[in-house]
Amino acid sequence: MITICDISALARWAELGLAERLGEPCDPPANGAWSLPAAACLPDIDLAGARIEATADRPLHILVASPTGRIRSRRLRCHVWSTELPEGSLYQLTDEILIASPRFCLQQMAAGSSPARGAAVGMEICGGYARSPRAKSGFHNRPPLAKLDDLVAHFADNHGYGARRAREALAYVIEGSRSPMETVVVLLFTLPVELGGCGLPMPSLNCRIDIPPSLQIALGKPYLTVDLCWPEWGIILEYDSYLWHRTKAKIDEDNTRNEGPRDLGWMVRSVAAGMLANDLMLDELVRKVMAKAGRQVPDGEEYRLRQRALVRELLAL
């Protein structure tokens, strides 16, 4: 028996209809039988039939019952769970394979993570995407795996290992993110300053913006949907993916669509991964957004280093 967890489990939950197919969570096998005893047993488990990989390039994250159960293998990443498994934590994927439930993934991953990483996991679970190395863009679209209110209620009554960290992470989660980079941008601007964020309130995600009739005709649509915005300050942030924004036609369309909100007084800023990874561009983006919001962040090298460390952590997920 093998138990898939962490990012491997979340990637597998990208399959549409998986929750309906698996039904209710199962009871964990007794005496830690859910833990793979040794790497030598891995070839006996049909991973391909379950659409799961375990390679040196894409190691499989698995749960083991004790520190002594860790397996040394380039194909596996072992995560120890030595306390009692929470109720509803596992589903039976195949006769030989168990998979961690989305909420148990959050509990397990938050236990040994920073609040920022825990929040990113929570936003993926409550968002419309699943990270996957198979996807050209690095992620698949899918419906949310859980509602934020349900996760908050669950962890309010859960006091097991990792539950406190999960509660802390959920305080920074907003529903509806459509991509990993959208999550990075949200957390950069909303996490507290002591974590390297900007401390802004939660933005509206995938927000409808009304546009003038002339722009409606030019774009062939009655309104715009923007990635995230703060209507109270007239700020719009759009994440520009290199994959989808590299053609001349797309660049022209983006330039045209951005002019409409600007004519109405909105500040529209495009954000790309390279901008966040560049310290000077990151500083400039933060300065302009915070100035428009009438807010300030600490002015000092210590804060800038903390913010850059936050962004690098989030980009590395």
Side-chain angles (χ1 to χ4, degrees):
M1 187 72 71
I2 191 171
T3 297
I4 311 302
C5 68
D6 208 271
I7 59 175
S8 297
L10 289 182
R12 190 63 186 81
W13 281 106
E15 179 186 334
L16 295 179
L18 182 62
E20 291 77 8
R21 179 167 69 82
L22 297 184
E24 295 298 317
C26 64
D27 294 326
N31 301 321
W34 47 267
S35 180
L36 186 70
C41 301
L42 193 62
D44 298 328
I45 296 175
D46 182 16
L47 297 178
R51 296 174 55 199
I52 289 172
E53 289 183 295
T55 66
D57 292 334
R58 296 174 183 172
L60 182 65
H61 291 251
I62 67 170
L63 209 63
V64 296
S66 68
T68 58
R70 289 184 181 275
I71 299 167
R72 298 188 65 179
S73 170
R74 295 177 62 197
R75 302 173 61 196
L76 299 173
R77 293 289 183 271
C78 297
H79 302 268
V80 177
W81 192 272
S82 54
T83 62
E84 183 179 355
L85 289 167
E87 182 180 353
S89 58
L90 301 180
Y91 284 80
Q92 192 83 45
L93 188 61
T94 71
D95 290 343
E96 306 164 306
I97 302 173
L98 298 167
I99 184 171
S101 67
R103 71 186 188 191
F104 181 48
C105 283
L106 174 60
Q107 184 171 347
Q108 172 250 321
M109 296 170 77
S113 300
S114 69
R117 183 171 187 259
V121 172
M123 287 193 63
E124 179 176 347
I125 292 171
C126 296
Y129 68 91
R131 288 173 293 155
S132 172
R134 291 176 175 270
K136 184 178 181 180
S137 61
F139 66 95
H140 291 291
N141 296 322
R142 57 134 176 82
L145 299 177
K147 294 181 178 180
L148 179 57
D149 287 347
D150 291 342
L151 290 177
V152 170
H154 168 74
F155 285 107
D157 296 327
N158 183 332
H159 301 285
Y161 177 66
R164 178 180 63 82
R165 290 285 189 91
R167 285 193 295 273
E168 293 172 353
L170 288 171
Y172 307 124
V173 169
I174 180 173
E175 293 179 312
S177 178
R178 296 184 296 184
S179 73
M181 281 303 305
E182 195 169 302
T183 291
V184 171
V185 176
V186 169
L187 294 178
L188 164 63
F189 284 101
T190 60
L191 284 175
V193 294
E194 57 266 27
L195 298 180
C198 295
L200 292 182
M202 296 293 189
S204 298
L205 296 188
N206 311 314
C207 185
R208 171 175 169 159
I209 302 293
D210 293 323
I211 54 177
S214 59
L215 188 60
Q216 295 180 24
I217 295 172
L219 294 176
K221 57 184 69 173
Y223 59 87
L224 297 178
T225 301
V226 299
D227 290 341
L228 59 150
C229 71
W230 288 270
E232 63 269 39
W233 295 313
I235 299 172
I236 293 174
L237 296 182
E238 286 280 84
Y239 170 63
D240 287 350
S241 165
Y242 296 129
L243 183 63
W244 305 116
H245 295 77
R246 61 186 179 185
T247 65
K248 291 182 179 180
K250 186 60 180 172
I251 292 171
D252 290 341
E253 179 184 338
D254 287 350
N255 288 335
T256 301
R257 79 187 297 274
N258 289 343
E259 285 306 308
R262 288 187 180 121
D263 289 343
L264 297 175
W266 291 84
M267 183 185 79
V268 184
R269 301 292 297 176
S270 296
V271 185
M275 293 173 59
L276 298 180
N278 182 295
D279 293 343
L280 295 179
M281 290 183 179
L282 173 63
D283 291 344
E284 182 71 1
L285 173 67
V286 169
R287 184 187 66 79
K288 289 188 175 180
V289 171
M290 297 302 285
K292 179 69 172 175
R295 300 287 188 94
Q296 289 184 329
V297 292
D299 183 18
E301 189 62 20
E302 181 182 350
Y303 171 72
R304 281 190 285 271
L305 290 174
R306 193 159 63 240
Q307 185 167 82
R308 291 163 188 173
L310 168 65
V311 170
R312 282 166 173 73
E313 179 185 17
L314 293 173
L315 290 176
L317 296 178

